[in-house]
Amino acid sequence: MHIVECRDIKKAYQQGKIAVQALRGVNLSIEKGGFVALAGPSGSGKTTMLNIIGGLDSPDSGNVMVDGNALGDMNQSELADLRLHKVGFVFQAYNLIPVLSALENVEFVMLLQGIPATERRQRAKAILDEVGLEGLYDRRPAELSGGQQQRVAVARAIVSHPSIVLADEPTANLDSKTGNGLLEMMKEMNQKKRVTFVFSTHDQMVMDYARRLVHIRDGLVADDHIKKH
Amino acid sequence: MTAVIIGVWSMIFMGALMRGISDEMVRNGIATLTGHIQVHLKGYRNDPVIENRISHPRALETALNKHLPAGSKWTCRVRVNAIASNARHAGGVTLVGIEPNREAGISFIGEAITQGRYLKADDKYGIIVGKALADKFETKLGHKVVLMSQDTSREIASRAFRIVGIFRAEMEATEKQFVFAVMPVAQQMLKMGKAVSEVSIILPSHKKADRVAVALRSSLPSAYEVLAWRELLPLVTGVLEMYDGFIFLWFLVVFIAMGFGIVNTTLMAVFERIREFGLLKALGMKPLWIIKGVLIESLFILVLGMAIGNSMGFLSVFALSGHGIDLSSLAAGLEFVGMTRVIYPVLQGQDVVMANSVVFVLGCLVSLYPAAKAARFTPVEAMAHT
């Protein structure tokens, strides 16, 4: 069963007077519970693809279905609702809210979902423990290392049990040991909780971890294969 | 927030000053022998000569008793143009014959004597003159002044008076213009019998003047003219209308300046935090929630600014309530429009509510633009913003 289905996705950006064709007709399906890496060089269109799947950006043409929802038919409010309940994001630059503690950052999405305070706190602590950040609940992002911040970001992405987690270059700012630990943790969550992970990356380590590797080049899927482990 | 503080403060303070000026102008105009309502013989206003007199003033009493609200006061006056002279000077004045006891509660003269004494009912030769006239005539208490006017038989009537009191008025022109004698003496001098020039009425509140004037008009014979203070003081009424327009313009100017301040501040705050809004949207915050968030922040700025602005406004008014703003050096110019020498700001609840309502409602409205702007960015645009 596919959680993501993209058909003939095209997207162009205007850079000054020049139109840059980021995606030129991408077709992609991602199975539920997948651990998929969209790989390719800078400017190949992988981040654009990830943004379109997450409803952060809209394609110029083509259809995107996420967990049975046609994104093209949804307004901004419905897309926000989809992101809130079904999609988790992990960004390259962590993008934690600087004025909130690690615990509050993780709680934030549940706050938007209207989950009661006690349950929020309980679940946030549990997930922070799970990603190895027990005892660092009250630290602000500035008081955490890059790896720890990215773990908070992962905790925030999965705490509300989304159908899919989209991670944009999650290891780009981490050293290899920290990156390895983070990927190990995400792989474990994928296996234990059946959370679908989709990465955009050009990090070989992420590609090695992925069970399916989709190469995007010049806005098109150049190669798509499931690895045998 | 500074824009809101200055806006609210200036609206309250300027409003209080304007209110103070207009209240003083009305109070002063009414106290300077005008009253809230006057009754004359028709034609007196256009031609205030002795021929246009009310021959039987007591005949008006029934109508006055019937229509005047409780707490009202009224008096009769003789008012004619006259020539005043002494050994050194001569000049035009207005002779006002008054009933001393009744007049004291109606016009300024009862409380304006600064030298000598007020008139007594049996003052056959006593006269009260203004300080400015006394200075101009180089005279003083106890000295003689001769008044000359035309009597009812169109003959020259004159009488010598002795100055028993000198009064001060808010305006120098009033001190130069009016001299006061006891009404029976003036009537005798002018051979008027019991006739008077006018009946002046003071009501418990000047706001009732128009209504009472209409009632009196309908019950008095058509030979009489009943006028409320707005008709009696057209210049003051005109200036008050001008002030209303000025206050409106001031509110408009303040609001435009403040509106730009709010939009600018909120817009800057939105642009500074655009990445944050992008992230919030990416995490699932709906555009409406972002609009709400920005509006709540604007509301906070508005409420805090209003609280400080109000406090500053109240403090400024309080600070000036004792001594007022002394504009004596501009007195000659101020008199021209009927303004008093010292302005005391007057704070009225309705003005404060008005100023705050304008700031609050319009402040919320102008905050909608930056709020909508914050909500319109797509998460990708916002998060790519540097």
Side-chain angles (χ1 to χ4, degrees):
Chain A
M1 184 180 176
H2 293 140
I3 190 159
V4 175
E5 284 196 62
C6 301
R7 291 285 163 263
D8 197 24
I9 302 299
K10 289 180 183 165
K11 177 76 182 179
Y13 290 112
Q14 201 69 29
Q15 283 188 338
K17 288 179 180 173
I18 303 162
V20 178
Q21 199 69 37
L23 298 174
R24 297 165 186 271
V26 173
N27 292 299
L28 179 69
S29 300
I30 296 170
E31 68 283 10
K32 207 171 183 122
F35 203 70
V36 183
L38 305 180
S42 291
S44 58
K46 54 189 188 300
T47 298
T48 305
M49 195 63 211
L50 214 61
N51 287 339
I52 286 173
I53 294 170
L56 297 181
D57 206 353
S58 53
D60 295 336
S61 65
N63 300 312
V64 185
M65 297 281 286
V66 175
D67 206 14
N69 299 284
L71 303 196
D73 297 338
M74 298 168 89
N75 61 29
Q76 284 298 317
S77 183
E78 289 166 336
L79 284 172
D81 217 37
L82 177 94
R83 289 194 293 270
L84 181 60
H85 292 99
K86 298 198 170 177
V87 185
F89 285 97
V90 178
F91 301 98
Q92 179 182 341
Y94 326 132
N95 281 349
L96 300 177
I97 299 169
V99 293
L100 302 183
S101 67
L103 191 71
E104 289 164 340
N105 263 288
V106 176
E107 275 188 68
F108 185 76
V109 175
M110 291 186 284
L111 176 77
L112 294 181
Q113 289 178 330
I115 294 169
T118 323
E119 188 188 338
R120 270 194 335 245
R121 193 130 291 212
Q122 229 168 24
R123 278 169 60 178
K125 281 183 178 174
I127 202 82
L128 281 172
D129 291 350
E130 213 170 315
V131 298
L133 292 176
E134 59 272 23
L136 301 179
Y137 305 146
D138 297 327
R139 296 258 186 108
R140 297 272 168 90
E143 298 163 341
L144 296 168
S145 69
Q148 288 169 331
Q149 287 189 57
Q150 199 59 304
R151 281 167 185 264
V152 175
V154 171
R156 179 179 66 186
I158 60 173
V159 72
S160 56
H161 309 308
S163 310
I164 183 168
V165 172
L166 304 172
D168 184 15
E169 312 254 16
T171 57
N173 292 334
L174 305 177
D175 59 67
S176 59
K177 191 182 166 197
T178 312
N180 195 46
L182 187 79
L183 286 167
E184 199 58 51
M185 184 190 81
M186 291 199 271
K187 188 178 174 185
E188 199 180 313
M189 284 179 175
N190 169 255
Q191 286 169 347
K192 278 188 184 167
K193 302 188 177 183
R194 296 277 297 154
V195 180
T196 308
F197 278 85
V198 181
F199 304 92
S200 84
T201 189
H202 47 41
D203 181 349
Q204 188 55 48
M205 188 165 60
V206 179
M207 295 182 219
D208 292 343
Y209 265 92
R211 285 202 301 277
R212 181 180 164 198
L213 193 56
V214 180
H215 277 281
I216 296 182
R217 190 167 295 126
D218 298 330
L220 286 167
V221 174
D223 183 35
D224 184 353
H225 68 273
I226 296 168
K227 292 194 286 180
K228 291 175 183 170
H229 286 278
Chain B
M1 192 161 67
T2 312
V4 178
I5 293 172
I6 293 175
V8 173
W9 169 76
S10 67
M11 281 162 114
I12 289 178
F13 185 60
M14 288 295 287
L17 276 184
M18 290 295 168
R19 180 72 63 184
I21 292 170
S22 55
D23 278 9
E24 276 297 302
M25 279 173 65
V26 171
R27 195 192 58 74
N28 191 45
I30 286 169
T32 308
L33 303 174
T34 303
H36 292 141
I37 297 173
Q38 280 189 8
V39 183
H40 309 106
L41 198 72
K42 214 163 234 172
Y44 176 83
R45 286 278 292 167
N46 292 332
D47 190 11
V49 293
I50 198 162
E51 285 82 1
N52 287 330
R53 61 188 183 273
I54 300 169
S55 300
H56 304 289
R58 296 300 156 196
L60 304 175
E61 269 194 54
T62 315
L64 293 176
N65 290 337
K66 185 180 171 190
H67 293 292
L68 295 188
S72 304
K73 296 170 187 173
W74 61 274
T75 188
C76 295
R77 293 186 193 123
V78 166
R79 193 197 291 228
V80 290
N81 292 327
I83 302 288
S85 59
N86 66 1
R88 293 177 181 168
H89 298 277
V93 294
T94 299
L95 164 63
V96 186
I98 57 172
E99 301 170 287
N101 292 337
R102 295 177 79 115
E103 186 71 43
I106 290 180
S107 73
F108 76 102
I109 194 65
E111 295 172 347
I113 307 298
T114 54
Q115 293 175 52
R117 62 171 175 79
Y118 185 52
L119 289 171
K120 292 175 186 169
D122 57 354
D123 255 328
K124 283 187 179 173
Y125 301 101
I127 193 166
I128 295 174
V129 301
K131 173 77 168 57
L133 186 73
D135 291 345
K136 183 182 160 190
F137 274 39
E138 297 175 87
T139 188
K140 58 185 180 182
L141 279 180
H143 283 210
K144 237 198 253 179
V145 174
V146 174
L147 290 187
M148 200 161 58
S149 187
Q150 181 190 288
D151 65 20
T152 50
S153 54
R154 300 191 175 180
E155 297 295 329
I156 298 295
S158 66
R159 187 176 177 114
F161 293 89
R162 200 164 290 279
I163 299 171
V164 296
I166 292 177
F167 69 88
R168 291 302 303 263
E170 192 57 55
M171 298 183 205
E172 200 179 271
T174 307
E175 293 176 10
K176 282 182 179 168
Q177 186 184 352
F178 296 107
V179 298
F180 295 86
V182 173
M183 193 166 76
V185 172
Q187 286 168 327
Q188 188 187 23
M189 171 187 157
L190 301 166
K191 297 180 184 158
M192 291 172 76
K194 295 289 179 191
V196 299
S197 305
E198 67 192 27
V199 175
S200 180
I201 301 161
I202 286 285
L203 304 171
S205 162
H206 70 78
K207 289 173 185 162
K208 294 179 178 173
D210 290 333
R211 194 160 40 84
V212 176
V214 168
L216 280 176
R217 217 169 277 146
S218 63
S219 66
L220 288 175
S222 60
Y224 295 106
E225 187 177 52
V226 181
L227 298 171
W229 67 270
R230 283 186 183 278
E231 298 154 297
L232 293 164
L233 301 168
L235 181 64
V236 171
T237 306
V239 171
L240 290 182
E241 282 168 7
M242 192 181 78
Y243 280 176
D244 283 347
F246 181 74
I247 286 179
F248 174 75
L249 278 178
W250 178 252
F251 273 35
L252 194 70
V253 167
V254 165
F255 174 70
I256 289 171
M258 197 188 65
F260 275 107
I262 292 173
V263 169
N264 185 45
T265 309
T266 318
L267 214 51
M268 288 294 286
V270 163
F271 276 110
E272 273 176 14
R273 294 164 51 202
I274 196 154
R275 280 179 62 85
E276 185 188 322
F277 289 126
L279 173 66
L280 296 179
K281 286 181 93 172
L283 293 178
M285 189 176 261
K286 293 180 182 177
L288 195 63
W289 297 352
I290 289 176
I291 290 178
K292 270 191 206 167
V294 175
L295 282 181
I296 286 170
E297 283 178 22
S298 296
L299 203 69
F300 180 74
I301 292 173
L302 278 172
V303 170
L304 196 63
M306 280 162 60
I308 297 173
N310 276 298
S311 306
M312 283 171 60
F314 295 152
L315 281 175
S316 308
V317 171
F318 178 72
L320 288 173
S321 60
H323 301 289
I325 300 174
D326 192 349
L327 299 175
S328 301
S329 56
L330 306 170
L334 296 177
E335 278 185 19
F336 183 72
V337 288
M339 273 173 67
T340 53
R341 293 172 196 180
V342 181
I343 301 171
Y344 295 94
V346 173
L347 204 55
Q348 284 204 349
Q350 67 190 56
D351 294 340
V352 176
V353 169
M354 176 74 168
N356 282 287
S357 304
V358 166
V359 170
F360 186 77
V361 173
L362 296 181
C364 285
L365 283 178
V366 296
S367 299
L368 276 173
Y369 172 66
K373 191 106 181 153
R376 256 206 321 265
F377 286 113
T378 67
V380 166
E381 276 174 343
M383 290 170 73
H385 197 270
T386 49

PDB file of all heavy atoms in Angstrom, chain A residues 126-147:
ATOM      1  N   ALA A 126       8.603  10.917  27.288  1.00  0.00           N
ATOM      2  CA  ALA A 126       8.843   9.531  26.857  1.00  0.00           C
ATOM      3  C   ALA A 126       9.638   9.506  25.552  1.00  0.00           C
ATOM      4  O   ALA A 126      10.598   8.741  25.406  1.00  0.00           O
ATOM      5  CB  ALA A 126       7.515   8.808  26.693  1.00  0.00           C
ATOM      6  N   ILE A 127       9.242  10.388  24.623  1.00  0.00           N
ATOM      7  CA  ILE A 127       9.916  10.355  23.309  1.00  0.00           C
ATOM      8  C   ILE A 127      11.334  10.913  23.411  1.00  0.00           C
ATOM      9  O   ILE A 127      12.254  10.431  22.734  1.00  0.00           O
ATOM     10  CB  ILE A 127       9.078  11.085  22.231  1.00  0.00           C
ATOM     11  CG1 ILE A 127       9.462  10.616  20.822  1.00  0.00           C
ATOM     12  CG2 ILE A 127       9.238  12.579  22.292  1.00  0.00           C
ATOM     13  CD1 ILE A 127       8.807   9.358  20.427  1.00  0.00           C
ATOM     14  N   LEU A 128      11.518  11.916  24.300  1.00  0.00           N
ATOM     15  CA  LEU A 128      12.871  12.454  24.498  1.00  0.00           C
ATOM     16  C   LEU A 128      13.769  11.392  25.135  1.00  0.00           C
ATOM     17  O   LEU A 128      14.948  11.266  24.785  1.00  0.00           O
ATOM     18  CB  LEU A 128      12.833  13.723  25.360  1.00  0.00           C
ATOM     19  CG  LEU A 128      12.406  15.007  24.630  1.00  0.00           C
ATOM     20  CD1 LEU A 128      12.207  16.163  25.610  1.00  0.00           C
ATOM     21  CD2 LEU A 128      13.418  15.424  23.564  1.00  0.00           C
ATOM     22  N   ASP A 129      13.201  10.609  26.042  1.00  0.00           N
ATOM     23  CA  ASP A 129      13.964   9.500  26.635  1.00  0.00           C
ATOM     24  C   ASP A 129      14.352   8.510  25.538  1.00  0.00           C
ATOM     25  O   ASP A 129      15.477   8.024  25.481  1.00  0.00           O
ATOM     26  CB  ASP A 129      13.123   8.779  27.700  1.00  0.00           C
ATOM     27  CG  ASP A 129      12.907   9.649  28.932  1.00  0.00           C
ATOM     28  OD1 ASP A 129      13.571  10.704  29.020  1.00  0.00           O
ATOM     29  OD2 ASP A 129      12.068   9.295  29.791  1.00  0.00           O
ATOM     30  N   GLU A 130      13.379   8.274  24.653  1.00  0.00           N
ATOM     31  CA  GLU A 130      13.597   7.294  23.588  1.00  0.00           C
ATOM     32  C   GLU A 130      14.725   7.712  22.639  1.00  0.00           C
ATOM     33  O   GLU A 130      15.457   6.865  22.130  1.00  0.00           O
ATOM     34  CB  GLU A 130      12.284   7.144  22.799  1.00  0.00           C
ATOM     35  CG  GLU A 130      12.071   5.741  22.266  1.00  0.00           C
ATOM     36  CD  GLU A 130      10.659   5.594  21.720  1.00  0.00           C
ATOM     37  OE1 GLU A 130       9.705   6.055  22.394  1.00  0.00           O
ATOM     38  OE2 GLU A 130      10.526   5.047  20.621  1.00  0.00           O
ATOM     39  N   VAL A 131      14.839   9.033  22.378  1.00  0.00           N
ATOM     40  CA  VAL A 131      15.912   9.485  21.484  1.00  0.00           C
ATOM     41  C   VAL A 131      17.201   9.798  22.254  1.00  0.00           C
ATOM     42  O   VAL A 131      18.137  10.385  21.710  1.00  0.00           O
ATOM     43  CB  VAL A 131      15.487  10.720  20.636  1.00  0.00           C
ATOM     44  CG1 VAL A 131      14.317  10.365  19.740  1.00  0.00           C
ATOM     45  CG2 VAL A 131      15.187  11.924  21.507  1.00  0.00           C
ATOM     46  N   GLY A 132      17.208   9.438  23.509  1.00  0.00           N
ATOM     47  CA  GLY A 132      18.439   9.555  24.305  1.00  0.00           C
ATOM     48  C   GLY A 132      18.689  10.924  24.897  1.00  0.00           C
ATOM     49  O   GLY A 132      19.837  11.315  25.092  1.00  0.00           O
ATOM     50  N   LEU A 133      17.641  11.637  25.159  1.00  0.00           N
ATOM     51  CA  LEU A 133      17.835  12.983  25.717  1.00  0.00           C
ATOM     52  C   LEU A 133      17.238  13.111  27.125  1.00  0.00           C
ATOM     53  O   LEU A 133      16.838  14.202  27.539  1.00  0.00           O
ATOM     54  CB  LEU A 133      17.199  14.038  24.793  1.00  0.00           C
ATOM     55  CG  LEU A 133      17.874  14.213  23.433  1.00  0.00           C
ATOM     56  CD1 LEU A 133      17.103  15.207  22.573  1.00  0.00           C
ATOM     57  CD2 LEU A 133      19.312  14.696  23.584  1.00  0.00           C
ATOM     58  N   GLU A 134      17.172  11.999  27.850  1.00  0.00           N
ATOM     59  CA  GLU A 134      16.627  12.081  29.202  1.00  0.00           C
ATOM     60  C   GLU A 134      17.512  13.028  30.034  1.00  0.00           C
ATOM     61  O   GLU A 134      18.732  13.040  29.890  1.00  0.00           O
ATOM     62  CB  GLU A 134      16.524  10.691  29.868  1.00  0.00           C
ATOM     63  CG  GLU A 134      17.809   9.923  30.000  1.00  0.00           C
ATOM     64  CD  GLU A 134      18.116   9.068  28.762  1.00  0.00           C
ATOM     65  OE1 GLU A 134      17.611   9.378  27.671  1.00  0.00           O
ATOM     66  OE2 GLU A 134      18.897   8.117  28.911  1.00  0.00           O
ATOM     67  N   GLY A 135      16.853  13.857  30.830  1.00  0.00           N
ATOM     68  CA  GLY A 135      17.592  14.801  31.682  1.00  0.00           C
ATOM     69  C   GLY A 135      17.909  16.116  30.994  1.00  0.00           C
ATOM     70  O   GLY A 135      18.429  17.032  31.618  1.00  0.00           O
ATOM     71  N   LEU A 136      17.605  16.213  29.691  1.00  0.00           N
ATOM     72  CA  LEU A 136      17.902  17.485  28.985  1.00  0.00           C
ATOM     73  C   LEU A 136      16.610  18.216  28.606  1.00  0.00           C
ATOM     74  O   LEU A 136      16.612  19.071  27.728  1.00  0.00           O
ATOM     75  CB  LEU A 136      18.715  17.200  27.715  1.00  0.00           C
ATOM     76  CG  LEU A 136      20.052  16.483  27.923  1.00  0.00           C
ATOM     77  CD1 LEU A 136      20.736  16.232  26.581  1.00  0.00           C
ATOM     78  CD2 LEU A 136      20.974  17.305  28.818  1.00  0.00           C
ATOM     79  N   TYR A 137      15.551  17.883  29.311  1.00  0.00           N
ATOM     80  CA  TYR A 137      14.229  18.422  28.958  1.00  0.00           C
ATOM     81  C   TYR A 137      14.198  19.951  28.945  1.00  0.00           C
ATOM     82  O   TYR A 137      13.558  20.569  28.097  1.00  0.00           O
ATOM     83  CB  TYR A 137      13.160  17.964  29.962  1.00  0.00           C
ATOM     84  CG  TYR A 137      13.047  16.474  30.161  1.00  0.00           C
ATOM     85  CD1 TYR A 137      12.717  15.959  31.420  1.00  0.00           C
ATOM     86  CD2 TYR A 137      13.237  15.578  29.113  1.00  0.00           C
ATOM     87  CE1 TYR A 137      12.584  14.604  31.623  1.00  0.00           C
ATOM     88  CE2 TYR A 137      13.120  14.218  29.311  1.00  0.00           C
ATOM     89  CZ  TYR A 137      12.797  13.726  30.572  1.00  0.00           C
ATOM     90  OH  TYR A 137      12.680  12.387  30.775  1.00  0.00           O
ATOM     91  N   ASP A 138      14.866  20.543  29.938  1.00  0.00           N
ATOM     92  CA  ASP A 138      14.716  21.997  30.116  1.00  0.00           C
ATOM     93  C   ASP A 138      15.765  22.815  29.357  1.00  0.00           C
ATOM     94  O   ASP A 138      15.802  24.037  29.479  1.00  0.00           O
ATOM     95  CB  ASP A 138      14.782  22.355  31.608  1.00  0.00           C
ATOM     96  CG  ASP A 138      13.622  21.721  32.359  1.00  0.00           C
ATOM     97  OD1 ASP A 138      12.551  21.600  31.755  1.00  0.00           O
ATOM     98  OD2 ASP A 138      13.814  21.312  33.524  1.00  0.00           O
ATOM     99  N   ARG A 139      16.606  22.142  28.598  1.00  0.00           N
ATOM    100  CA  ARG A 139      17.625  22.889  27.851  1.00  0.00           C
ATOM    101  C   ARG A 139      17.010  23.578  26.631  1.00  0.00           C
ATOM    102  O   ARG A 139      16.210  22.974  25.914  1.00  0.00           O
ATOM    103  CB  ARG A 139      18.712  21.916  27.349  1.00  0.00           C
ATOM    104  CG  ARG A 139      19.490  21.242  28.469  1.00  0.00           C
ATOM    105  CD  ARG A 139      20.836  21.901  28.644  1.00  0.00           C
ATOM    106  NE  ARG A 139      21.622  21.170  29.625  1.00  0.00           N
ATOM    107  CZ  ARG A 139      22.659  20.417  29.304  1.00  0.00           C
ATOM    108  NH1 ARG A 139      23.021  20.272  28.044  1.00  0.00           N
ATOM    109  NH2 ARG A 139      23.353  19.815  30.251  1.00  0.00           N
ATOM    110  N   ARG A 140      17.438  24.797  26.440  1.00  0.00           N
ATOM    111  CA  ARG A 140      17.031  25.508  25.224  1.00  0.00           C
ATOM    112  C   ARG A 140      17.883  24.994  24.058  1.00  0.00           C
ATOM    113  O   ARG A 140      18.992  24.503  24.287  1.00  0.00           O
ATOM    114  CB  ARG A 140      17.269  27.011  25.381  1.00  0.00           C
ATOM    115  CG  ARG A 140      16.458  27.658  26.482  1.00  0.00           C
ATOM    116  CD  ARG A 140      15.105  28.095  25.938  1.00  0.00           C
ATOM    117  NE  ARG A 140      14.204  28.468  27.017  1.00  0.00           N
ATOM    118  CZ  ARG A 140      14.088  29.696  27.521  1.00  0.00           C
ATOM    119  NH1 ARG A 140      14.834  30.649  27.041  1.00  0.00           N
ATOM    120  NH2 ARG A 140      13.233  29.944  28.470  1.00  0.00           N
ATOM    121  N   PRO A 141      17.426  25.149  22.798  1.00  0.00           N
ATOM    122  CA  PRO A 141      18.218  24.672  21.653  1.00  0.00           C
ATOM    123  C   PRO A 141      19.668  25.162  21.687  1.00  0.00           C
ATOM    124  O   PRO A 141      20.581  24.403  21.370  1.00  0.00           O
ATOM    125  CB  PRO A 141      17.463  25.242  20.456  1.00  0.00           C
ATOM    126  CG  PRO A 141      16.055  25.307  20.922  1.00  0.00           C
ATOM    127  CD  PRO A 141      16.111  25.647  22.374  1.00  0.00           C
ATOM    128  N   ALA A 142      19.873  26.415  22.102  1.00  0.00           N
ATOM    129  CA  ALA A 142      21.235  26.961  22.115  1.00  0.00           C
ATOM    130  C   ALA A 142      22.131  26.235  23.119  1.00  0.00           C
ATOM    131  O   ALA A 142      23.356  26.306  23.032  1.00  0.00           O
ATOM    132  CB  ALA A 142      21.187  28.447  22.439  1.00  0.00           C
ATOM    133  N   GLU A 143      21.517  25.537  24.062  1.00  0.00           N
ATOM    134  CA  GLU A 143      22.298  24.835  25.083  1.00  0.00           C
ATOM    135  C   GLU A 143      22.505  23.359  24.729  1.00  0.00           C
ATOM    136  O   GLU A 143      22.970  22.585  25.552  1.00  0.00           O
ATOM    137  CB  GLU A 143      21.573  24.925  26.445  1.00  0.00           C
ATOM    138  CG  GLU A 143      21.432  26.365  26.939  1.00  0.00           C
ATOM    139  CD  GLU A 143      20.396  26.529  28.035  1.00  0.00           C
ATOM    140  OE1 GLU A 143      19.530  25.647  28.187  1.00  0.00           O
ATOM    141  OE2 GLU A 143      20.460  27.540  28.735  1.00  0.00           O
ATOM    142  N   LEU A 144      22.090  22.989  23.495  1.00  0.00           N
ATOM    143  CA  LEU A 144      22.246  21.598  23.051  1.00  0.00           C
ATOM    144  C   LEU A 144      23.225  21.539  21.879  1.00  0.00           C
ATOM    145  O   LEU A 144      23.353  22.505  21.126  1.00  0.00           O
ATOM    146  CB  LEU A 144      20.890  21.044  22.592  1.00  0.00           C
ATOM    147  CG  LEU A 144      19.788  20.932  23.656  1.00  0.00           C
ATOM    148  CD1 LEU A 144      18.448  20.663  22.982  1.00  0.00           C
ATOM    149  CD2 LEU A 144      20.099  19.826  24.657  1.00  0.00           C
ATOM    150  N   SER A 145      23.882  20.377  21.716  1.00  0.00           N
ATOM    151  CA  SER A 145      24.780  20.202  20.565  1.00  0.00           C
ATOM    152  C   SER A 145      23.934  19.998  19.315  1.00  0.00           C
ATOM    153  O   SER A 145      22.719  19.792  19.407  1.00  0.00           O
ATOM    154  CB  SER A 145      25.653  18.975  20.796  1.00  0.00           C
ATOM    155  OG  SER A 145      24.844  17.813  20.735  1.00  0.00           O
ATOM    156  N   GLY A 146      24.578  20.039  18.135  1.00  0.00           N
ATOM    157  CA  GLY A 146      23.868  19.842  16.879  1.00  0.00           C
ATOM    158  C   GLY A 146      23.130  18.509  16.853  1.00  0.00           C
ATOM    159  O   GLY A 146      21.965  18.429  16.453  1.00  0.00           O
ATOM    160  N   GLY A 147      23.815  17.470  17.299  1.00  0.00           N
ATOM    161  CA  GLY A 147      23.216  16.130  17.304  1.00  0.00           C
ATOM    162  C   GLY A 147      22.020  16.076  18.231  1.00  0.00           C
ATOM    163  O   GLY A 147      20.981  15.473  17.901  1.00  0.00           O
TER     164      GLY A 147
END
